[in-house]
Amino acid sequence: MSPVYDCRDESQLLPGMRHARQAIGRGELVVLPTDTVYGIAADAFNARAVAGLLEAKGRTRQQPPPVLVAGVGTLRALVAEIPPAVDDLVREFWPGGLTIVLPAQPSLSWDLGETRGTVAVRMPAHKITLELLEETGPLAVSSANLTGMPAAVDIDAARDMLGESVAAYLDAGVSETGIASTIVDATTLVGGTEPRVRVLREGAISRERLREVLGDLLEDDPVDARDAPAATSAPVGDTPDAEAPGP
């Protein structure tokens, strides 16, 4: 059976991190904790690994995963441009529960699925995952669940759903909030004729807190899931049954 490492136990933390790092390097999948919910992770630059992540969850290329990063420097390398308003969001909410969709850097050699040139990026506020990201580089990470099922907030739930499709499980106890990240679409801030920021999914960061930072740049009405960019093309409504595109 795929091993579970209790990362609260120092004797298991180091071997768990080593196994996770090696598994990612081999193109395998790892379940890891974040500050929101547990995630299933793959090397973002390994197309076979990303395809395996989608297969493990029962998703298609039309539902590409977001990417977790260790810091703003990696964000700058992944996106075409960081508008000033996004800089403000990052300063206020990263590391934390905000995923930002921007046009991807066109020179990148990767295949996350049918993204239509966008990428959804987040820096999580979890020490274990940030340490792993520092060693592996950007990871494609989706919520650790089967499509249509609730996102896992503990390692047992993740393991029950994902089983042997995952090479290693990093256990850090029950998720701190159990609330998935808020996702915003900032793509029109890059060369758009009507620059606005749309909330694709309300989660850990409230619309009111976003308004404090963005002011009139924040679009008033919640976006219809059918209008969401491909980087978050899974249903993104606020109902309990909505599939979370990322942790």
Side-chain angles (χ1 to χ4, degrees):
M1 295 181 66
S2 300
V4 175
Y5 297 93
D6 186 346
C7 295
R8 296 163 294 183
D9 181 344
E10 287 294 328
S11 68
Q12 296 187 46
L13 175 59
L14 288 180
M17 293 291 279
R18 185 184 311 114
H19 189 166
R21 183 175 64 253
Q22 293 171 345
I24 293 294
R26 292 192 298 264
E28 297 173 339
L29 306 178
V30 171
V31 163
L32 44 73
T34 78
D35 48 313
T36 56
V37 297
Y38 274 82
I40 178 173
D43 180 356
F45 288 95
N46 185 326
R48 179 179 59 84
V50 174
L53 184 157
L54 295 175
E55 181 180 358
K57 283 180 58 74
R59 293 175 68 173
T60 69
R61 285 178 53 81
Q62 282 66 48
Q63 298 169 303
V67 174
L68 295 189
V69 298
V72 179
T74 309
L75 171 68
R76 296 188 187 281
L78 297 183
V79 302
E81 181 182 330
I82 301 180
V86 172
D87 258 334
D88 293 339
L89 290 173
V90 166
R91 279 195 297 269
E92 182 69 22
F93 299 118
W94 278 18
L98 181 66
T99 300
I100 304 170
V101 182
L102 284 166
Q105 171 59 249
S107 64
L108 289 175
S109 177
W110 63 359
D111 184 4
L112 297 173
E114 301 302 325
T115 65
R116 287 178 284 181
T118 65
V119 61
V121 188
R122 182 167 91 88
M123 180 185 179
H126 198 288
K127 181 181 178 181
I128 290 172
T129 297
L130 287 174
E131 288 182 2
L132 188 62
L133 287 164
E134 289 281 3
E135 297 179 346
T136 64
L139 294 176
V141 181
S142 186
S143 52
N145 60 291
L146 296 175
T147 295
M149 300 294 288
V153 296
D154 60 54
I155 209 69
D156 290 336
R159 200 178 191 197
D160 286 346
M161 287 185 277
L162 298 170
E164 298 303 300
S165 65
V166 172
Y169 290 83
L170 301 181
D171 183 6
V174 177
S175 299
E176 183 176 338
T177 68
I179 302 172
S181 66
T182 293
I183 303 175
V184 297
D185 172 16
T187 55
T188 62
L189 297 183
V190 182
T193 56
E194 296 182 12
R196 303 296 294 276
V197 175
R198 297 186 298 167
V199 177
L200 303 182
R201 179 183 72 191
E202 286 199 58
I205 306 299
S206 70
R207 183 180 291 270
E208 289 72 24
R209 292 186 68 196
L210 293 172
R211 177 78 66 186
E212 291 174 2
V213 175
L214 294 170
D216 292 341
L217 281 178
L218 183 66
E219 196 167 89
D220 290 328
D221 297 326
V223 67
D224 190 302
R226 292 168 297 183
D227 297 329
T232 54
S233 59
V236 292
D238 295 321
T239 65
D241 295 331
E243 160 67 4

